[in-house]
Amino acid sequence: MEKLLEVAGLKKYFPIRKGSLFSRETKYVRAVDDVSFDIHKGEVLGLVGESGSGKTTTGRLLVRLLKATEGDIVFEGKDTQAMTDAQFRPLRRDMQFIFQDPYSSLNPRLTVAHAIAEPIRLHGVATGKEVEERVGDLMNTVGLNPRMASRYPHEFSGGQRQRIGIARALALNPKLIIADEPVSALDVSIQAQVLNLLHRLRDEFGLSYLFIAHDLNVVQHLCERIAVMYLGKLVEVADRESLYAEPLHPYTQALTSAIPVPNPRAKRDRVLLKGEIPSPVNPPSGCHFHPRCQFATEQCRQVVPTLKKVNATRSVACHLY
Amino acid sequence: MTGTPSLNVVNLKTHFFIREGVVRAVDGVSFSVDQGEVLGIVGESGCGKSITARSILRLVPNPPGRTVDGRIEFEGKDLLELSESEMRKVRGNRISMIFQDPMTYLNPTMKVGDQITEVLRLHLDMNETQARARTLELFRDVNIPEPEGRLDNYPHEFSGGMRQRVMIAMALACEPGLLIADEPTTALDVTVQAQILDLLRRIRDDLNSAIILITHDLGVVAEICDKVVVMYAGQVVEQANVYDLFDEPKHPYTRGLLDSLPTPEHRVDQLKPIPGQPPDLLRIPKGCNFAPRCAYCMQKCIDEEPPFREVAPGHMSRCWLDSVTQTAVAAAE
């Protein structure tokens, strides 16, 4: 399969000032710390992690909503990090973003038609009557009645608003869609509607997704390959089947065993983690996960594990393997 | 020990009187919960589950909200008959509540230790030293690491999971007979959620308290609840013990909820969502509230409201389909 996106050694450090107003000491939040992965054409890659793991920052770096501190982002063979903003702009058409909160990502003063038409007009893809037609088509595609085009966002429910967000993202026929927790604000019955829609669109338009979520159940439903992130680093990348059947990294094991299963008879050996995710300002030495890991050894406290391939489809960053 | 009823809610109706009309947020809800039992109330946004909980503690803002009918029997009294000062002795003492977002309910300008000792001094008449010792004990019970040092911290110095532990410690301060937890883990990460659920389970077993857990997550329900009430548009549509509910859901809404869940066990390419959206509570349909979204809707469902009746031993459902037809429906699928 052809690679659509290649990410290598991606880092994002946010500076924060500690101490007094005049102190010179600057610390960094290592939100994304040396992350590498690829997305193939037509593939759905899931990026999972808990709050503060850096998954959203990673997504934003890809579309340059944030500038990376270091690392390469290669899209269709073109190195985007070397580009100026003007050079990057045409690529924005190919990479679109869907946000978590459909309430705050739509301008309340723009009608739906206007919101969906905005990217089309900005990129000069269509003019005049064509824009209107395109908006109608897009609304049909995402399951909204085109007669609602002149309404405002507040007149729609959460699920419908997320559909508007999706229509907007599709407006420019992108190749890659980065969806940041697109269903986590929605009720389960509505969530299933939107997941099915994303699934259908992918087949219809040959899209690739980077699907960012904290909910492993949702991720496994849509994604063929899943990357697990912890405190700014990828700890495991695997195909869906093997990740769920046999999670390798102790963090992935804890994460998969912590998902509540809607079956009261499910008897499970739960790996209950101690404590919570540490601060990314002062991450633990060696393996970032070692203070919460039951298998931690002296080596884990000192040496940072790198992501290594354990077989054709999966890699893990852990000294156990 | 289970079997002794702790709370009995009968035909509770809480309505909101607004300019546009009457919102029947809770419309004839009945259930009971025993000591040492966890009752789950499940439903989607706007189904009335949180208003039900708030009605029990009489915390619904009035106006616009008012509990217009029903009985809430707790420890031999009808809570709706109590005066406001009597009610104040129940809240935080015999019945406590924990919320989704602990930060909103903790006082940000007060040390967490003081917030709990305040409860103890107010309700149990303890002196400063006793209250502090008890608070320390409570912090240990909810597994807050290094509790001595944490008493004098402010809420912002705690992480989300730790704040929820502080809330739980506060709720347990007076060893309540009933603990109401409104989406206690929704704002937390899964690994932390697992820790908190573990803690709630321990509270049920050690203190023999009754717990009402309000959640939208059927996974959480399966993990911890003994009995489940499913709510839709202000009404209870199904009630059963947790095994019966998941093994043989009777109401089409419950079945729809289970089908729309992505789970590792039934991985299919297409989920089966429930079409449409919940009704506008100002414009409740005449017959069954769920009829417009229901795959098994008949003419009768549109015309007449279905009764809430027993369809199998201990298993209640608000649906016109009888159990025989339902079995046929399940077999046909």
Side-chain angles (χ1 to χ4, degrees):
Chain A
M1 251 196 307
E2 214 179 320
K3 279 178 187 165
L4 182 68
L5 179 82
E6 296 170 71
V7 176
L10 190 64
K11 287 184 185 169
K12 178 68 190 177
Y13 291 179
F14 293 101
I16 46 163
R17 200 181 331 184
K18 277 260 172 181
S20 79
L21 186 61
F22 303 105
S23 93
R24 286 173 167 237
E25 186 200 12
T26 314
K27 288 197 168 185
Y28 292 93
V29 175
R30 300 168 182 217
V32 177
D33 199 7
D34 199 1
V35 163
S36 309
F37 61 88
D38 313 317
I39 298 178
H40 301 282
K41 280 212 167 117
E43 186 186 42
V44 183
L45 176 71
L47 186 59
V48 224
E50 296 182 284
S51 23
S53 62
K55 53 190 193 303
T56 296
T57 307
T58 305
R60 296 193 167 207
L61 289 172
L62 299 184
V63 288
R64 254 206 218 187
L65 286 173
L66 289 169
K67 274 235 161 100
T69 310
E70 223 182 286
D72 297 324
I73 301 171
V74 179
F75 186 75
E76 290 192 306
K78 289 171 283 213
D79 181 5
T80 65
Q81 287 313 91
M83 291 179 185
T84 61
D85 282 350
Q87 286 170 323
F88 184 75
R89 192 159 301 138
L91 281 187
R92 283 239 160 89
R93 272 195 208 184
D94 295 335
M95 292 191 232
Q96 289 288 320
F97 208 92
I98 300 173
F99 296 90
Q100 168 173 2
D101 184 357
Y103 297 83
S104 58
S105 54
L106 290 171
N107 184 337
R109 290 162 183 264
L110 292 189
T111 61
V112 172
H114 203 128
I116 300 175
E118 201 176 28
I120 304 177
R121 290 216 176 86
L122 275 177
H123 283 268
V125 179
T127 46
K129 261 268 177 272
E130 281 168 35
V131 178
E132 234 168 87
E133 269 172 42
R134 179 97 183 100
V135 169
D137 287 351
L138 284 164
M139 289 185 73
N140 272 325
T141 308
V142 298
L144 290 171
N145 190 335
R147 272 184 310 190
M148 301 196 284
S150 56
R151 296 202 190 165
Y152 289 87
H154 74 265
E155 298 174 73
F156 292 87
S157 67
Q160 287 174 321
R161 273 182 241 198
Q162 199 52 288
R163 287 174 195 268
I164 300 170
I166 295 171
R168 227 172 111 95
L170 288 176
L172 297 168
N173 288 322
K175 291 170 182 154
L176 175 67
I177 287 188
I178 294 158
D180 188 5
E181 302 263 16
V183 297
S184 51
L186 307 176
D187 273 321
V188 274
S189 70
I190 309 296
Q191 175 179 309
Q193 295 173 1
V194 174
L195 285 176
N196 280 350
L197 172 67
L198 288 171
H199 196 103
R200 203 193 77 219
L201 293 174
R202 176 202 164 196
D203 293 346
E204 249 175 74
F205 299 97
L207 295 170
S208 308
Y209 293 122
L210 177 68
F211 192 93
I212 302 169
H214 69 282
D215 185 334
L216 276 165
N217 280 338
V218 167
V219 173
Q220 63 96 29
H221 182 75
L222 209 66
C223 309
E224 284 111 19
R225 225 154 41 98
I226 294 161
V228 183
M229 210 166 167
Y230 185 78
L231 217 58
K233 287 184 185 295
L234 290 183
V235 295
E236 184 162 1
V237 183
D239 62 287
R240 162 172 61 201
E241 278 70 26
S242 32
L243 189 86
Y244 287 92
E246 195 204 353
L248 294 180
H249 197 282
Y251 177 63
T252 320
Q253 290 169 4
L255 201 59
T256 44
S257 83
I259 318 171
V261 177
N263 175 4
R265 292 185 205 281
K267 288 269 181 295
R268 297 187 302 155
D269 297 323
R270 168 154 292 158
V271 187
L272 208 55
L273 281 186
K274 284 208 181 66
E276 287 165 46
I277 191 164
S279 152
V281 181
N282 245 333
S285 62
C287 171
H288 287 356
F289 185 60
H290 86 254
R292 301 173 78 191
C293 180
Q294 50 175 334
F295 308 109
T297 62
E298 201 43 47
Q299 189 192 13
C300 304
R301 278 182 267 280
Q302 285 165 10
V303 186
V304 180
T306 50
L307 199 64
K308 24 179 199 269
K309 253 189 154 51
V310 286
N311 65 33
T313 57
R314 58 194 307 190
S315 4
V316 61
C318 179
H319 292 307
L320 291 174
Y321 302 94
Chain B
M1 199 197 79
T2 54
T4 324
S6 168
L7 177 84
N8 191 21
V9 174
V10 187
N11 195 30
L12 181 71
K13 290 187 181 174
T14 300
H15 295 174
F16 286 82
F17 300 87
I18 57 172
R19 205 174 38 197
E20 290 83 359
V22 180
V23 178
R24 296 161 188 269
V26 178
D27 204 19
V29 164
S30 303
F31 58 83
S32 72
V33 51
D34 292 345
Q35 281 174 24
E37 184 179 65
V38 181
L39 169 78
I41 303 185
V42 236
E44 299 181 283
S45 349
C47 71
K49 53 190 193 303
S50 292
I51 299 297
T52 303
R54 269 153 225 250
S55 304
I56 295 172
L57 281 173
R58 297 195 5 208
L59 288 174
V60 176
N62 177 16
R66 208 166 71 226
T67 297
V68 292
D69 197 9
R71 287 199 314 280
I72 301 172
E73 293 159 5
F74 177 75
E75 295 185 340
K77 287 172 290 215
D78 182 354
L79 297 186
L80 294 177
E81 308 268 290
L82 297 186
S83 68
E84 188 48 39
S85 70
E86 287 172 314
M87 194 61 211
R88 221 171 287 142
K89 288 185 192 130
V90 174
R91 274 186 217 124
N93 184 7
R94 299 306 307 143
I95 305 180
S96 335
M97 186 153 176
I98 51 179
F99 300 90
Q100 174 172 346
D101 178 10
M103 201 55 200
T104 325
Y105 295 93
L106 290 170
N107 184 339
T109 65
M110 216 174 148
K111 292 171 183 167
V112 291
D114 293 346
Q115 299 191 42
I116 298 179
T117 49
E118 186 185 43
V119 177
L120 292 164
R121 295 173 66 182
L122 201 73
H123 283 301
L124 301 182
D125 253 348
M126 287 187 181
N127 66 34
E128 183 67 46
T129 335
Q130 288 169 322
R132 216 170 150 84
R134 172 83 179 117
T135 306
L136 199 59
E137 203 179 300
L138 285 163
F139 268 35
R140 280 204 192 96
D141 287 347
V142 297
N143 296 339
I144 293 178
E146 298 158 42
E148 294 86 352
R150 295 301 248 162
L151 287 180
D152 291 323
N153 285 9
Y154 288 92
H156 75 268
E157 298 174 87
F158 287 79
S159 66
M162 282 301 144
R163 275 180 214 146
Q164 198 56 285
R165 285 173 199 270
V166 172
M167 279 287 287
I168 295 175
M170 191 186 292
L172 295 181
C174 305
E175 299 188 353
L178 173 67
L179 177 68
I180 303 177
D182 189 358
E183 303 265 12
T185 59
T186 308
L188 306 176
D189 282 318
V190 272
T191 57
V192 181
Q193 165 170 288
Q195 297 167 356
I196 298 288
L197 291 181
D198 202 52
L199 176 62
L200 288 176
R201 222 175 276 131
R202 232 184 53 221
I203 292 168
R204 171 192 61 188
D205 297 341
D206 294 356
L207 300 179
N208 195 31
S209 299
I211 300 180
I212 296 181
L213 181 79
I214 294 165
T215 178
H216 68 282
D217 188 336
L218 283 162
V220 169
V221 170
E223 289 277 327
I224 179 171
C225 296
D226 301 300
K227 201 159 83 181
V228 191
V229 159
V230 182
M231 282 189 72
Y232 185 78
Q235 292 181 322
V236 176
V237 294
E238 183 160 0
Q239 182 185 328
N241 79 46
V242 70
Y243 296 107
D244 291 345
L245 189 94
F246 283 88
D247 288 349
E248 272 185 74
K250 298 289 188 196
H251 197 281
Y253 176 63
T254 314
R255 203 177 291 165
L257 277 183
L258 287 167
D259 282 343
S260 36
L261 280 183
T263 68
E265 272 132 51
H266 75 270
R267 221 192 65 69
V268 281
D269 277 343
Q270 291 287 297
L271 298 164
K272 282 197 279 173
I274 306 173
Q277 301 156 39
D280 180 348
L281 290 175
L282 279 168
R283 289 172 203 84
I284 289 282
K286 186 172 78 167
C288 170
N289 288 352
F290 187 60
R293 302 175 77 188
C294 184
Y296 311 110
C297 180
M298 310 171 285
Q299 189 56 44
K300 193 172 190 182
C301 306
I302 298 166
D303 299 337
E304 273 178 81
E305 199 182 322
F308 191 51
R309 55 184 177 159
E310 196 165 29
V311 287
H315 197 145
M316 311 278 288
S317 172
R318 190 184 294 280
C319 183
W320 281 118
L321 292 171
D322 57 48
S323 50
V324 184
T325 347
Q326 286 209 341
T327 324
V329 169
E333 275 174 358

